[in-house]
Coordinates of all heavy atoms in Angstrom, one line a residue:
L161 N 3.9 -14.4 16.0 CA 2.5 -13.9 15.9 C 2.5 -12.5 15.5 O 3.3 -11.7 15.9 CB 1.7 -14.0 17.2 CG 1.5 -15.4 17.9 CD1 1.0 -15.2 19.3 CD2 0.6 -16.2 17.1
Q162 N 1.7 -12.2 14.5 CA 1.5 -10.8 14.1 C 0.0 -10.4 14.1 O -0.8 -11.2 13.5 CB 2.1 -10.5 12.8 CG 2.0 -9.1 12.3 CD 2.6 -8.9 10.9 OE1 3.0 -9.7 10.3 NE2 2.7 -7.7 10.5
Y163 N -0.3 -9.3 14.6 CA -1.7 -8.8 14.6 C -1.8 -7.4 13.9 O -1.0 -6.4 14.4 CB -2.3 -8.7 16.0 CG -3.7 -8.2 16.0 CD1 -4.7 -9.1 15.7 CD2 -4.0 -6.9 16.3 CE1 -6.0 -8.7 15.7 CE2 -5.3 -6.5 16.3 CZ -6.3 -7.4 16.0 OH -7.6 -7.0 16.0
K164 N -2.5 -7.3 12.9 CA -2.6 -6.0 12.2 C -4.0 -5.4 12.7 O -5.1 -6.0 12.7 CB -2.8 -6.2 10.7 CG -1.5 -6.6 10.1 CD -1.4 -6.7 8.6 CE 0.0 -7.1 8.2 NZ 0.1 -7.1 6.7
F165 N -3.9 -4.1 13.2 CA -5.0 -3.5 13.8 C -6.1 -3.1 12.8 O -7.2 -2.9 13.1 CB -4.6 -2.3 14.6 CG -3.7 -2.8 15.8 CD1 -2.3 -2.5 15.8 CD2 -4.3 -3.3 16.9 CE1 -1.6 -3.1 16.8 CE2 -3.5 -3.7 18.0 CZ -2.1 -3.6 17.9
R166 N -5.7 -2.7 11.5 CA -6.6 -2.2 10.5 C -6.2 -3.0 9.2 O -5.7 -2.5 8.3 CB -6.5 -0.8 10.3 CG -6.8 0.0 11.5 CD -6.3 1.5 11.4 NE -6.7 2.0 10.1 CZ -6.6 3.2 9.7 NH1 -6.0 4.1 10.5 NH2 -7.0 3.7 8.5
P167 N -6.6 -4.3 9.2 CA -6.1 -5.1 8.1 C -6.5 -4.8 6.6 O -5.9 -5.1 5.7 CB -6.5 -6.5 8.4 CG -7.7 -6.4 9.4 CD -7.4 -5.1 10.1
H168 N -7.7 -4.1 6.5 CA -8.2 -3.8 5.2 C -8.1 -2.3 4.7 O -8.6 -1.9 3.8 CB -9.7 -4.2 5.1 CG -9.9 -5.7 5.5 ND1 -9.4 -6.7 4.7 CD2 -10.5 -6.2 6.6 CE1 -9.7 -7.8 5.3 NE2 -10.4 -7.6 6.5
E169 N -7.2 -1.6 5.5 CA -7.0 -0.2 5.2 C -5.6 0.0 4.5 O -4.8 -0.9 4.5 CB -7.0 0.6 6.5 CG -8.4 0.5 7.3 CD -9.5 1.1 6.6 OE1 -9.4 2.1 5.8 OE2 -10.6 0.5 6.7
K170 N -5.4 1.2 3.9 CA -4.1 1.4 3.3 C -3.0 1.6 4.4 O -1.9 1.1 4.2 CB -4.1 2.7 2.5 CG -4.8 2.5 1.2 CD -4.6 3.8 0.3 CE -4.9 3.4 -1.1 NZ -3.9 3.7 -2.1
F171 N -3.3 2.2 5.5 CA -2.4 2.4 6.6 C -2.7 1.3 7.7 O -3.8 1.2 8.2 CB -2.5 3.8 7.3 CG -1.6 4.0 8.4 CD1 -0.3 4.1 8.2 CD2 -2.1 4.0 9.7 CE1 0.6 4.3 9.4 CE2 -1.2 4.2 10.8 CZ 0.1 4.3 10.7
R172 N -1.7 0.4 8.0 CA -2.0 -0.7 8.9 C -0.9 -0.8 10.0 O 0.2 -1.4 9.7 CB -2.0 -2.0 8.0 CG -3.1 -2.0 7.0 CD -3.1 -3.3 6.3 NE -1.9 -3.3 5.4 CZ -1.9 -4.0 4.3 NH1 -2.8 -4.8 3.9 NH2 -0.8 -4.0 3.5
P173 N -1.3 -0.3 11.2 CA -0.3 -0.6 12.3 C -0.4 -2.1 12.7 O -1.4 -2.7 12.5 CB -0.8 0.3 13.4 CG -2.2 0.8 13.0 CD -2.4 0.5 11.5
Y174 N 0.7 -2.6 13.3 CA 0.7 -4.0 13.8 C 1.6 -4.2 14.9 O 2.4 -3.3 15.3 CB 1.1 -4.9 12.6 CG 2.5 -4.6 12.0 CD1 3.6 -5.2 12.6 CD2 2.6 -3.9 10.9 CE1 4.8 -4.9 12.1 CE2 3.9 -3.6 10.4 CZ 5.0 -4.2 11.0 OH 6.3 -3.9 10.5
G175 N 1.4 -5.3 15.6 CA 2.3 -5.7 16.7 C 2.7 -7.1 16.4 O 2.0 -7.9 15.8
K176 N 4.0 -7.5 16.9 CA 4.5 -8.8 16.7 C 5.0 -9.3 18.0 O 5.5 -8.6 18.8 CB 5.7 -8.8 15.7 CG 5.3 -8.6 14.3 CD 6.6 -8.7 13.4 CE 6.4 -8.3 12.0 NZ 7.6 -8.4 11.2
L177 N 4.9 -10.6 18.2 CA 5.5 -11.4 19.3 C 6.0 -12.7 18.9 O 5.2 -13.4 18.1 CB 4.5 -11.5 20.4 CG 4.8 -12.4 21.6 CD1 5.9 -11.7 22.4 CD2 3.6 -12.6 22.5
G178 N 7.2 -13.1 19.3 CA 7.7 -14.4 18.8 C 8.7 -14.9 19.8 O 9.2 -14.2 20.6
L179 N 8.9 -16.3 19.8 CA 10.0 -16.9 20.5 C 11.1 -17.3 19.5 O 10.7 -17.6 18.4 CB 9.4 -18.2 21.2 CG 8.3 -17.9 22.2 CD1 7.8 -19.2 22.7 CD2 8.8 -17.0 23.3
G180 N 12.3 -17.4 19.9 CA 13.4 -17.7 19.0 C 14.5 -18.4 19.7 O 14.7 -18.4 20.9
A181 N 15.2 -19.2 18.9 CA 16.5 -19.8 19.2 C 17.6 -19.0 18.5 O 17.4 -18.7 17.3 CB 16.5 -21.3 18.8
Y182 N 18.7 -18.7 19.2 CA 19.7 -17.9 18.7 C 21.1 -18.7 18.8 O 21.4 -19.4 19.7 CB 19.9 -16.6 19.5 CG 18.6 -15.8 19.3 CD1 17.6 -15.8 20.3 CD2 18.5 -14.9 18.3 CE1 16.4 -15.1 20.1 CE2 17.4 -14.2 18.0 CZ 16.4 -14.2 19.1 OH 15.3 -13.5 18.9
F183 N 21.9 -18.5 17.7 CA 23.2 -19.1 17.6 C 24.2 -18.1 17.1 O 23.9 -17.3 16.3 CB 23.2 -20.3 16.6 CG 22.2 -21.4 17.0 CD1 20.9 -21.3 16.5 CD2 22.6 -22.4 17.9 CE1 20.0 -22.4 16.9 CE2 21.7 -23.4 18.2 CZ 20.4 -23.4 17.8
L184 N 25.4 -18.1 17.7 CA 26.4 -17.1 17.4 C 27.7 -17.8 17.3 O 28.3 -18.5 18.2 CB 26.5 -16.0 18.5 CG 27.7 -15.0 18.3 CD1 27.4 -14.1 17.1 CD2 27.8 -14.2 19.6
G185 N 28.3 -17.8 16.1 CA 29.6 -18.4 15.8 C 30.7 -17.3 15.8 O 30.4 -16.2 15.3
L186 N 31.7 -17.4 16.5 CA 32.8 -16.5 16.5 C 33.8 -16.7 15.4 O 34.2 -17.8 15.1 CB 33.5 -16.5 17.9 CG 32.7 -16.4 19.1 CD1 33.5 -16.5 20.3 CD2 32.0 -15.1 19.1
D187 N 34.1 -15.6 14.7 CA 35.0 -15.7 13.5 C 36.4 -15.3 13.8 O 37.1 -14.5 13.2 CB 34.5 -14.7 12.5 CG 35.1 -14.9 11.1 OD1 35.6 -16.1 10.9 OD2 35.0 -14.0 10.3
D188 N 36.9 -16.0 14.8 CA 38.4 -15.8 15.3 C 39.2 -17.0 15.2 O 40.2 -17.0 15.7 CB 38.4 -15.1 16.7 CG 37.8 -16.1 17.7 OD1 37.4 -17.2 17.3 OD2 37.9 -15.7 18.9
G189 N 38.7 -18.0 14.5 CA 39.4 -19.3 14.3 C 39.3 -20.2 15.5 O 39.9 -21.3 15.5
S190 N 38.5 -19.9 16.6 CA 38.4 -20.6 17.8 C 37.4 -21.8 17.7 O 37.3 -22.6 18.6 CB 38.2 -19.8 19.0 OG 37.0 -19.2 18.8
E191 N 36.5 -21.7 16.7 CA 35.4 -22.7 16.5 C 34.5 -22.7 17.7 O 34.1 -23.8 18.2 CB 35.9 -24.0 16.1 CG 36.6 -24.0 14.8 CD 37.0 -25.5 14.4 OE1 36.5 -26.4 14.9 OE2 37.9 -25.6 13.5
V192 N 34.2 -21.6 18.3 CA 33.2 -21.5 19.4 C 31.8 -21.1 19.0 O 31.7 -20.2 18.0 CB 33.7 -20.4 20.5 CG1 32.7 -20.2 21.6 CG2 35.1 -20.8 21.0
L193 N 30.9 -21.7 19.4 CA 29.5 -21.5 19.0 C 28.7 -21.3 20.3 O 28.8 -22.1 21.2 CB 28.9 -22.7 18.2 CG 27.4 -22.4 17.8 CD1 27.3 -21.4 16.8 CD2 26.9 -23.8 17.3
L194 N 28.0 -20.2 20.4 CA 27.0 -19.9 21.5 C 25.6 -20.2 21.1 O 25.3 -19.9 20.0 CB 27.2 -18.5 22.0 CG 28.5 -18.1 22.4 CD1 28.5 -16.6 22.8 CD2 29.0 -18.9 23.7
S195 N 24.7 -20.7 22.0 CA 23.3 -20.9 21.7 C 22.5 -20.5 22.9 O 23.0 -20.4 24.0 CB 23.1 -22.4 21.4 OG 23.2 -23.2 22.5
G196 N 21.2 -20.1 22.6 CA 20.4 -19.7 23.6 C 19.0 -19.4 23.0 O 18.7 -19.7 22.0
G197 N 18.1 -18.7 23.8 CA 16.8 -18.4 23.3 C 16.2 -17.3 24.0 O 16.8 -16.7 25.0
G198 N 15.1 -16.8 23.5 CA 14.4 -15.6 24.1 C 13.2 -15.2 23.4 O 12.6 -16.0 22.6
V199 N 12.8 -13.9 23.5 CA 11.5 -13.4 23.1 C 11.8 -12.2 22.1 O 12.7 -11.5 22.3 CB 10.7 -12.9 24.3 CG1 9.4 -12.3 23.7 CG2 10.3 -14.0 25.2
N200 N 11.0 -12.1 21.1 CA 11.1 -11.0 20.1 C 9.7 -10.2 20.2 O 8.6 -10.8 20.3 CB 11.1 -11.5 18.6 CG 12.2 -12.4 18.4 OD1 13.4 -12.2 18.9 ND2 12.1 -13.4 17.6
W201 N 9.9 -8.9 20.2 CA 8.7 -7.9 20.3 C 8.9 -6.9 19.2 O 10.0 -6.5 18.9 CB 8.7 -7.2 21.6 CG 8.8 -8.0 22.8 CD1 10.0 -8.4 23.4 CD2 7.8 -8.4 23.7 NE1 9.7 -9.1 24.5 CE2 8.4 -9.1 24.8 CE3 6.5 -8.2 23.7 CZ2 7.6 -9.6 25.8 CZ3 5.7 -8.8 24.7 CH2 6.3 -9.4 25.8
A202 N 7.8 -6.5 18.5 CA 7.9 -5.5 17.5 C 6.6 -4.6 17.4 O 5.6 -5.2 17.6 CB 8.3 -6.0 16.2
L203 N 6.7 -3.4 17.2 CA 5.6 -2.5 16.9 C 5.9 -1.8 15.6 O 7.0 -1.3 15.4 CB 5.4 -1.5 18.0 CG 4.9 -2.0 19.3 CD1 4.8 -1.0 20.3 CD2 3.5 -2.7 19.2
G204 N 4.9 -1.8 14.6 CA 5.2 -1.1 13.3 C 4.0 -0.8 12.7 O 2.9 -0.9 13.1
A205 N 4.2 -0.3 11.4 CA 3.1 0.2 10.5 C 3.6 0.0 9.2 O 4.8 0.2 8.8 CB 2.6 1.5 10.9
E206 N 2.6 -0.3 8.3 CA 2.9 -0.3 6.9 C 1.8 0.5 6.1 O 0.7 0.6 6.6 CB 3.0 -1.7 6.3 CG 1.8 -2.5 6.3 CD 2.0 -3.9 5.7 OE1 3.1 -4.3 5.4 OE2 1.0 -4.7 5.5
Y207 N 2.2 1.1 4.9 CA 1.3 1.8 4.1 C 1.3 1.2 2.7 O 2.4 1.0 2.1 CB 1.7 3.2 4.1 CG 0.7 4.1 3.3 CD1 -0.4 4.5 3.9 CD2 1.0 4.4 2.0 CE1 -1.4 5.3 3.2 CE2 0.0 5.2 1.3 CZ -1.2 5.6 1.9 OH -2.1 6.3 1.2
R208 N 0.2 0.7 2.2 CA 0.1 0.1 1.0 C -0.1 1.2 -0.1 O -1.0 1.8 -0.2 CB -1.2 -0.9 1.0 CG -1.1 -1.8 -0.1 CD -2.1 -3.0 0.1 NE -1.7 -4.0 -0.8 CZ -1.8 -5.2 -0.5 NH1 -2.2 -5.7 0.6 NH2 -1.5 -6.1 -1.4
L209 N 1.1 1.2 -1.0 CA 1.0 2.2 -2.0 C 0.2 1.7 -3.2 O -0.4 2.6 -3.9 CB 2.5 2.5 -2.4 CG 3.3 3.2 -1.3 CD1 4.8 3.2 -1.8 CD2 2.8 4.5 -1.0
T210 N 0.4 0.5 -3.6 CA -0.4 -0.2 -4.7 C -0.9 -1.5 -4.2 O -0.6 -2.0 -3.1 CB 0.5 -0.3 -5.9 OG1 1.5 -1.2 -5.7 CG2 1.1 1.0 -6.4
S211 N -1.6 -2.2 -5.1 CA -2.1 -3.6 -4.7 C -1.0 -4.6 -4.5 O -1.1 -5.6 -3.9 CB -3.0 -4.1 -5.8 OG -2.3 -4.2 -7.0
F212 N 0.3 -4.2 -5.0 CA 1.3 -5.2 -4.9 C 2.6 -4.7 -4.1 O 3.6 -5.4 -4.0 CB 1.8 -5.7 -6.3 CG 2.3 -4.6 -7.1 CD1 3.6 -4.3 -7.2 CD2 1.4 -3.9 -8.0 CE1 4.1 -3.3 -8.0 CE2 1.9 -3.0 -8.8 CZ 3.2 -2.6 -8.8
F213 N 2.6 -3.4 -3.6 CA 3.7 -2.8 -3.0 C 3.4 -2.0 -1.7 O 2.5 -1.2 -1.8 CB 4.5 -2.0 -4.0 CG 5.8 -1.4 -3.5 CD1 6.9 -2.2 -3.3 CD2 5.8 -0.1 -3.3 CE1 8.0 -1.6 -2.8 CE2 7.1 0.5 -2.8 CZ 8.1 -0.3 -2.5
S214 N 4.1 -2.2 -0.7 CA 3.9 -1.4 0.5 C 5.2 -1.0 1.1 O 6.2 -1.7 1.0 CB 3.0 -2.1 1.5 OG 3.6 -3.3 2.0
V215 N 5.2 0.1 1.9 CA 6.4 0.5 2.7 C 6.0 0.6 4.2 O 4.9 0.7 4.5 CB 6.9 1.9 2.2 CG1 7.5 1.8 0.8 CG2 5.9 3.0 2.4
G216 N 7.0 0.4 5.0 CA 6.7 0.3 6.4 C 7.9 0.5 7.3 O 9.0 0.5 6.8
A217 N 7.7 0.6 8.6 CA 8.7 0.7 9.5 C 8.3 0.1 10.8 O 7.2 0.0 11.1 CB 9.2 2.2 9.8
E218 N 9.3 -0.5 11.5 CA 9.0 -1.1 12.8 C 10.1 -0.9 13.8 O 11.3 -0.8 13.4 CB 8.6 -2.6 12.7 CG 9.7 -3.5 12.4 CD 9.3 -5.0 12.3 OE1 8.2 -5.2 11.7 OE2 10.0 -5.8 12.8
V219 N 9.8 -0.9 15.1 CA 10.7 -0.8 16.2 C 10.7 -2.2 16.8 O 9.6 -2.7 17.1 CB 10.4 0.2 17.2 CG1 11.3 0.2 18.4 CG2 10.3 1.6 16.6
F220 N 11.9 -2.8 17.0 CA 11.9 -4.1 17.5 C 12.8 -4.2 18.7 O 13.7 -3.5 18.9 CB 12.3 -5.2 16.4 CG 13.7 -5.0 15.9 CD1 14.7 -5.6 16.6 CD2 14.0 -4.3 14.8 CE1 16.1 -5.5 16.1 CE2 15.3 -4.1 14.3 CZ 16.2 -4.7 15.0
W221 N 12.5 -5.3 19.5 CA 13.4 -5.6 20.7 C 13.5 -7.2 20.6 O 12.5 -7.9 20.5 CB 12.7 -5.3 22.0 CG 12.3 -3.9 22.2 CD1 13.0 -2.9 22.9 CD2 11.1 -3.2 21.8 NE1 12.3 -1.8 22.8 CE2 11.1 -2.0 22.3 CE3 9.9 -3.8 21.1 CZ2 10.0 -1.1 22.0 CZ3 8.9 -2.8 20.9 CH2 9.0 -1.5 21.3
K222 N 14.7 -7.6 20.9 CA 15.0 -9.0 21.0 C 15.6 -9.2 22.4 O 16.7 -8.7 22.7 CB 15.9 -9.5 19.9 CG 15.3 -9.5 18.6 CD 16.3 -9.9 17.5 CE 15.6 -9.9 16.1 NZ 16.4 -10.3 15.0
D223 N 15.0 -9.9 23.3 CA 15.4 -10.2 24.7 C 15.8 -11.6 24.8 O 15.0 -12.5 24.8 CB 14.3 -9.8 25.6 CG 13.9 -8.3 25.6 OD1 14.7 -7.5 25.4 OD2 12.7 -8.1 25.7
F224 N 17.1 -11.8 24.7 CA 17.6 -13.3 24.8 C 18.9 -13.4 25.5 O 19.6 -12.4 25.6 CB 17.6 -13.9 23.4 CG 18.6 -13.3 22.5 CD1 19.9 -13.8 22.3 CD2 18.3 -12.1 21.7 CE1 20.8 -13.3 21.5 CE2 19.2 -11.6 20.9 CZ 20.5 -12.2 20.7
D225 N 19.2 -14.6 25.9 CA 20.5 -14.9 26.5 C 21.1 -16.2 25.9 O 20.4 -17.1 25.6 CB 20.3 -15.2 28.0 CG 19.9 -14.0 28.9 OD1 20.2 -12.9 28.5 OD2 19.1 -14.2 29.8
Y226 N 22.4 -16.1 25.7 CA 23.2 -17.3 25.4 C 23.5 -18.1 26.6 O 24.0 -17.6 27.5 CB 24.5 -17.0 24.7 CG 24.2 -16.2 23.4 CD1 24.5 -14.9 23.2 CD2 23.7 -16.9 22.3 CE1 24.4 -14.3 22.0 CE2 23.6 -16.2 21.0 CZ 23.8 -14.9 20.9 OH 23.7 -14.3 19.7
T227 N 23.0 -19.4 26.7 CA 23.2 -20.2 27.8 C 24.1 -21.4 27.7 O 24.5 -22.0 28.7 CB 21.8 -20.7 28.3 OG1 21.2 -21.5 27.2 CG2 20.8 -19.5 28.7
Q228 N 24.5 -21.7 26.4 CA 25.4 -22.8 26.2 C 26.5 -22.5 25.2 O 26.3 -21.6 24.4 CB 24.6 -24.1 25.6 CG 23.6 -24.7 26.6 CD 22.8 -25.8 26.0 OE1 22.7 -25.9 24.8 NE2 22.5 -26.8 26.8
Q229 N 27.5 -23.3 25.2 CA 28.6 -23.1 24.2 C 29.1 -24.4 23.8 O 29.0 -25.4 24.5 CB 29.8 -22.2 24.8 CG 30.6 -23.0 25.8 CD 31.8 -22.2 26.2 OE1 32.1 -21.1 25.7 NE2 32.6 -22.7 27.2
R230 N 29.7 -24.4 22.6 CA 30.4 -25.6 22.0 C 31.7 -25.1 21.5 O 31.8 -24.0 20.9 CB 29.5 -26.1 20.8 CG 30.2 -27.3 20.2 CD 29.5 -27.8 18.9 NE 30.0 -26.9 17.9 CZ 29.4 -26.7 16.7 NH1 28.3 -27.3 16.5 NH2 29.9 -25.9 15.7
V231 N 32.7 -25.8 21.9 CA 34.1 -25.5 21.4 C 34.5 -26.6 20.6 O 34.4 -27.8 21.0 CB 35.1 -25.3 22.6 CG1 36.5 -25.1 22.2 CG2 34.6 -24.2 23.6
G232 N 35.0 -26.3 19.4 CA 35.4 -27.3 18.4 C 34.3 -27.6 17.5 O 33.3 -26.9 17.4
D233 N 34.5 -28.7 16.7 CA 33.5 -29.0 15.6 C 32.6 -30.3 16.0 O 31.9 -30.8 15.1 CB 34.2 -29.2 14.3 CG 35.3 -30.3 14.3 OD1 35.4 -30.9 15.4 OD2 35.8 -30.6 13.3
K234 N 32.6 -30.6 17.2 CA 31.7 -31.8 17.6 C 30.3 -31.2 17.6 O 29.9 -30.3 18.3 CB 32.0 -32.3 18.9 CG 33.5 -32.9 19.0 CD 33.8 -33.4 20.4 CE 35.2 -34.0 20.4 NZ 35.6 -34.4 21.7
K235 N 29.3 -31.9 16.9 CA 28.0 -31.3 16.5 C 27.2 -31.2 17.8 O 26.4 -30.2 17.9 CB 27.3 -32.3 15.6 CG 28.0 -32.3 14.2 CD 27.8 -31.0 13.5 CE 28.4 -31.1 12.1 NZ 28.7 -29.8 11.6
N236 N 27.1 -32.1 18.7 CA 26.2 -32.1 19.8 C 26.9 -31.9 21.2 O 26.4 -32.4 22.2 CB 25.3 -33.4 19.8 CG 24.5 -33.4 18.6 OD1 23.9 -32.4 18.2 ND2 24.4 -34.6 18.0
D237 N 28.1 -31.4 21.2 CA 28.9 -31.3 22.4 C 28.8 -29.9 23.1 O 29.7 -29.2 23.2 CB 30.4 -31.7 22.2 CG 31.1 -32.0 23.4 OD1 30.5 -32.2 24.5 OD2 32.4 -32.0 23.4
F238 N 27.5 -29.5 23.5 CA 27.3 -28.3 24.2 C 27.5 -28.4 25.6 O 27.1 -29.4 26.2 CB 25.9 -27.8 23.8 CG 25.8 -27.1 22.5 CD1 25.4 -28.0 21.4 CD2 26.0 -25.9 22.2 CE1 25.3 -27.4 20.2 CE2 25.9 -25.3 21.0 CZ 25.5 -26.1 19.9
T239 N 28.0 -27.4 26.3 CA 28.0 -27.3 27.7 C 27.4 -26.1 28.3 O 27.4 -25.0 27.5 CB 29.6 -27.3 28.2 OG1 30.2 -26.2 27.6 CG2 30.3 -28.6 27.9
D240 N 26.8 -26.0 29.4 CA 26.2 -24.9 30.0 C 27.1 -23.8 30.4 O 28.2 -24.2 31.0 CB 25.4 -25.3 31.2 CG 24.1 -26.1 30.8 OD1 23.7 -26.0 29.6 OD2 23.6 -26.8 31.7
L241 N 26.9 -22.6 30.2 CA 27.7 -21.5 30.6 C 27.6 -21.2 32.1 O 26.4 -21.4 32.6 CB 27.4 -20.2 29.8 CG 27.8 -20.2 28.3 CD1 27.2 -19.0 27.6 CD2 29.3 -20.3 28.2
P242 N 28.5 -20.9 32.9 CA 28.3 -20.6 34.2 C 27.4 -19.4 34.5 O 26.5 -19.5 35.4 CB 29.7 -20.3 34.8 CG 30.6 -20.2 33.7 CD 30.0 -20.8 32.5
D243 N 27.5 -18.4 33.7 CA 26.6 -17.2 33.6 C 26.2 -16.9 32.3 O 27.0 -16.8 31.3 CB 27.3 -16.0 34.2 CG 27.6 -16.1 35.7 OD1 26.9 -16.5 36.5 OD2 28.9 -15.8 36.0
P244 N 24.8 -16.8 32.0 CA 24.3 -16.4 30.7 C 25.0 -15.2 30.1 O 25.2 -14.3 30.9 CB 22.9 -16.3 30.8 CG 22.5 -17.0 32.2 CD 23.8 -16.8 33.1
I245 N 25.1 -15.2 28.8 CA 25.6 -13.9 28.1 C 24.4 -13.3 27.5 O 23.7 -13.9 26.8 CB 26.7 -14.3 27.1 CG1 27.9 -15.0 27.7 CG2 27.1 -13.1 26.3 CD1 28.9 -15.6 26.8
T246 N 24.2 -12.0 27.9 CA 23.1 -11.2 27.4 C 23.3 -10.9 25.9 O 24.4 -10.3 25.6 CB 22.8 -10.0 28.3 OG1 22.6 -10.4 29.5 CG2 21.6 -9.3 27.7
G247 N 22.3 -11.1 25.0 CA 22.4 -10.8 23.6 C 21.3 -9.8 23.2 O 21.0 -9.8 22.0
N248 N 20.8 -9.1 24.1 CA 19.6 -8.2 23.8 C 19.9 -7.2 22.7 O 21.0 -6.7 22.6 CB 19.1 -7.4 25.0 CG 18.7 -8.3 26.1 OD1 18.5 -9.5 25.9 ND2 18.5 -7.7 27.3
T249 N 18.9 -7.0 21.8 CA 19.1 -6.1 20.6 C 17.9 -5.2 20.5 O 16.7 -5.7 20.8 CB 19.2 -7.0 19.4 OG1 20.3 -7.9 19.5 CG2 19.5 -6.2 18.2
K250 N 18.1 -4.0 20.1 CA 17.0 -3.1 19.8 C 17.3 -2.4 18.5 O 18.4 -2.2 18.2 CB 16.8 -2.0 20.9 CG 16.5 -2.6 22.3 CD 16.6 -1.4 23.3 CE 16.6 -2.1 24.7 NZ 17.1 -1.1 25.7
G251 N 16.2 -2.1 17.8 CA 16.5 -1.4 16.5 C 15.3 -0.9 15.8 O 14.1 -1.2 16.2
I252 N 15.5 -0.3 14.6 CA 14.4 0.1 13.7 C 14.6 -0.5 12.4 O 15.8 -0.5 11.9 CB 14.4 1.6 13.6 CG1 14.1 2.3 15.0 CG2 13.5 2.2 12.6 CD1 14.3 3.8 15.0
M253 N 13.6 -1.0 11.8 CA 13.8 -1.7 10.5 C 12.8 -1.0 9.5 O 11.6 -0.7 9.8 CB 13.4 -3.1 10.6 CG 13.6 -3.8 9.4 SD 13.7 -5.6 9.5 CE 12.5 -6.0 10.8
I254 N 13.2 -0.7 8.3 CA 12.5 -0.1 7.2 C 12.1 -1.3 6.3 O 13.0 -2.1 5.9 CB 13.3 1.0 6.4 CG1 13.7 2.1 7.4 CG2 12.3 1.5 5.3 CD1 12.5 2.8 8.1
N255 N 10.8 -1.4 5.9 CA 10.4 -2.6 5.1 C 9.8 -2.1 3.7 O 9.1 -1.2 3.7 CB 9.2 -3.4 5.8 CG 9.6 -3.8 7.2 OD1 10.7 -4.3 7.4 ND2 8.7 -3.6 8.1
L256 N 10.3 -2.8 2.7 CA 9.7 -2.6 1.3 C 9.2 -4.0 1.0 O 9.9 -5.0 0.9 CB 10.8 -2.1 0.3 CG 11.5 -0.9 0.7 CD1 12.6 -0.6 -0.3 CD2 10.5 0.3 0.8
T257 N 7.8 -4.1 0.8 CA 7.3 -5.4 0.7 C 6.5 -5.5 -0.7 O 5.7 -4.7 -1.0 CB 6.2 -5.7 1.8 OG1 6.9 -5.5 3.1 CG2 5.7 -7.1 1.7
L258 N 6.9 -6.6 -1.4 CA 6.1 -6.9 -2.7 C 5.1 -8.0 -2.3 O 5.5 -9.0 -1.7 CB 7.0 -7.5 -3.8 CG 8.0 -6.5 -4.3 CD1 8.9 -7.2 -5.3 CD2 7.2 -5.4 -5.1
H259 N 3.8 -7.8 -2.6 CA 2.8 -8.7 -2.2 C 2.5 -9.6 -3.4 O 2.5 -9.3 -4.5 CB 1.5 -8.0 -1.9 CG 1.6 -7.1 -0.7 ND1 1.6 -7.6 0.7 CD2 1.9 -5.8 -0.5 CE1 1.7 -6.6 1.5 NE2 1.9 -5.5 0.8

């Protein structure tokens, strides 16, 4: 979900909220895959330079845990982890958007 606070202005702040599923494959030859889910949050703003181009920036948080793992290449052979692995992420993103 995204909500723009001033949708018809050149400067448009916004907020985002979403749910996600996450997968992480390890690149060490062990064929281990982790899976889990969580919540995404973001606050940002964009400035429309022309009718077809805008620039923006946002601060985001991804709060999620990996709760299952798969070892080997069996497609549906996931097992629950004894303790979830935290995969939380925070960052800043610069956006260049063509409309």
Side-chain angles (χ1 to χ4, degrees):
L161 298 170
Q162 180 177 10
Y163 181 78
K164 292 188 178 180
F165 296 103
R166 299 170 44 178
H168 303 296
E169 303 293 327
K170 283 188 167 239
F171 178 73
R172 296 181 289 206
Y174 60 84
K176 291 182 181 179
L177 172 65
L179 299 175
Y182 296 93
F183 300 92
L184 175 65
L186 304 179
D187 192 20
D188 62 357
S190 64
E191 296 185 22
V192 174
L193 178 71
L194 300 175
S195 70
V199 178
N200 304 319
W201 311 80
L203 294 173
E206 66 180 9
Y207 186 80
R208 195 163 196 145
L209 295 172
T210 66
S211 62
F212 62 89
F213 183 69
S214 64
V215 296
E218 72 180 41
V219 176
F220 65 87
W221 303 265
K222 295 180 180 180
D223 299 322
F224 64 95
D225 293 326
Y226 295 110
T227 58
Q228 295 182 327
Q229 75 173 351
R230 182 187 80 197
V231 178
D233 58 359
K234 296 178 183 176
K235 297 289 182 199
N236 296 319
D237 194 17
F238 282 91
T239 58
D240 290 338
L241 293 170
D243 293 314
I245 298 172
T246 301
N248 297 347
T249 305
K250 300 172 191 165
I252 298 173
M253 185 167 31
I254 304 298
N255 303 317
L256 304 173
T257 306
L258 291 173
H259 299 277

